[in-house]
Amino acid sequence: EHEFKNGIAMEAGAKASTVNTRNEIIQYIGSNDQNIAYDSTLSNDFEYQEDVYAAYISGVKKYKSWDFDLGLRAEYTASKGYSHTIDSTNVNNYFNLFPNLSVKKTLSKNLDISAAYSRRLSRPAYWQVNPFKIQESEFSYWSGNPYLTPQYSNNYTLNASIQKSVFLTLGYTHTTDAISKVILQDNNDQTITNTTINLDDIYNFNFSAVVPIPITKWWLLNFDGNVFYNKQVSPGQQEEINLEQWTYKINLRNEITLPKKYKMEVYG
């Protein structure tokens, strides 16, 4: 970290991490100790290694009524999964850049507006890349996907703060290679398999508002509302996925001041 004379503050850092995990489940079948035998269909031995090397630099600058925050993170990931059970190896190496930028403008004592952009990734969990197939019932299986890759999201937000009590936020997120749970059906043997795959795109728009509304001197209504629009698009093997949904959520909290300094809250 270093702060320069012109009011710019800079920060930089680097990180290296390595993870080695092994999941070993050995199952045997038999009626007694004399005729016990190893059951390969129910056993699972999976080893996974993930190395992440990252470096970042960021800077902040305040100029009159403006605040600027700019950063960049570079990240290289090397992963290797090996299933001893089915003798299968999958290697996945990738390099990414993740910028972030935010700008804030103070218009008056009671009004601030800001805008921000960031790019992020979400990696699959280790168990999601384990290719072993687990039988859950006579016709149902669960299986990991060794070809699963991280999902990436670009996030945009606009914010307004009024009198330090009213907060309005408008956001948009575009996610690519979205990690999604799916059910695959095999018509030949009449079974289904629960697994995880990468779909193409998820689009999310959202608006939120936090507004305190004084009804009387003894009654304060706090309004908290969110509206979401989600759309998922991906070309399927048999038909295209095109789903969309509107969602809303409203919270109302009433703060009522009673005589003798008692207070009551009512939620809805």
Side-chain angles (χ1 to χ4, degrees), residues 2-254:
H2 186 75
E3 188 169 345
F4 297 89
K5 293 182 179 180
N6 57 7
I8 297 178
M10 301 290 296
E11 179 180 331
K15 177 183 178 180
S17 67
T18 181
V19 173
N20 288 274
T21 178
R22 185 167 183 174
N23 184 282
E24 187 176 9
I25 300 175
I26 306 300
Q27 297 280 5
Y28 295 90
I29 189 170
S31 58
N32 54 56
D33 294 341
Q34 282 69 41
N35 66 355
I36 194 170
Y38 170 71
D39 189 346
S40 61
T41 62
L42 297 177
S43 299
N44 178 32
D45 188 358
F46 180 68
E47 192 171 2
Y48 187 80
Q49 179 178 344
E50 183 179 78
D51 300 323
V52 180
Y53 307 94
Y56 78 95
I57 184 170
S58 65
V60 295
K61 168 69 175 178
K62 186 174 179 62
Y63 177 74
K64 295 183 179 180
S65 60
W66 293 88
D67 290 276
F68 301 93
D69 191 339
L70 177 65
L72 178 66
R73 187 173 90 253
E75 190 173 284
Y76 175 76
T77 302
S79 65
K80 178 182 179 181
Y82 175 63
S83 174
H84 296 266
T85 306
I86 61 176
D87 191 22
S88 172
T89 302
N90 183 262
V91 177
N92 190 14
N93 301 331
Y94 48 92
F95 174 80
N96 291 288
L97 294 174
F98 300 97
N100 66 276
L101 169 67
S102 66
V103 180
K104 179 182 176 182
K105 169 68 173 177
T106 302
L107 297 175
S108 66
K109 181 181 178 181
N110 296 319
L111 179 59
D112 295 331
I113 60 172
S114 63
Y117 164 76
S118 65
R119 184 172 186 258
R120 304 175 184 273
L121 90 162
S122 298
R123 295 186 179 87
Y126 304 140
W127 58 269
Q128 291 178 314
V129 295
N130 186 345
F132 185 69
K133 197 171 184 179
I134 299 174
Q135 186 170 4
E136 298 177 322
S137 67
E138 185 179 359
F139 301 105
S140 176
Y141 294 85
W142 178 91
S143 177
N145 180 5
Y147 304 104
L148 201 60
T149 61
Q151 68 177 23
Y152 299 88
S153 61
N154 291 283
N155 308 290
Y156 307 82
T157 57
L158 290 173
N159 300 279
S161 171
I162 305 171
Q163 295 183 337
K164 309 298 181 183
S165 59
V166 177
F167 301 96
L168 307 175
T169 301
L170 179 64
Y172 166 67
T173 300
H174 177 207
T175 302
T176 58
D177 297 328
I179 297 175
S180 305
K181 296 180 180 179
V182 297
I183 298 176
L184 305 179
Q185 180 172 308
D186 190 330
N187 293 326
N188 294 325
D189 57 9
Q190 295 184 340
T191 61
I192 60 172
T193 300
N194 295 274
T195 189
T196 311
I197 65 173
N198 291 103
L199 295 178
D200 280 6
D201 299 284
I202 294 179
Y203 304 91
N204 170 266
F205 296 88
N206 63 84
F207 174 75
S208 66
V210 178
V211 183
I213 305 173
I215 307 300
T216 65
K217 291 183 178 181
W218 49 269
W219 183 4
L220 176 63
L221 174 63
N222 289 287
F223 172 87
D224 181 358
N226 302 81
V227 178
F228 305 92
Y229 171 76
N230 290 285
K231 183 174 183 178
Q232 186 165 20
V233 178
S234 185
Q237 295 179 351
Q238 291 150 358
E239 61 179 325
E240 180 181 6
I241 297 174
N242 193 338
L243 305 172
E244 55 185 337
Q245 180 70 53
W246 284 93
T247 309
Y248 69 90
K249 179 177 68 174
I250 296 175
N251 296 316
L252 298 175
R253 188 175 81 252
N254 298 272

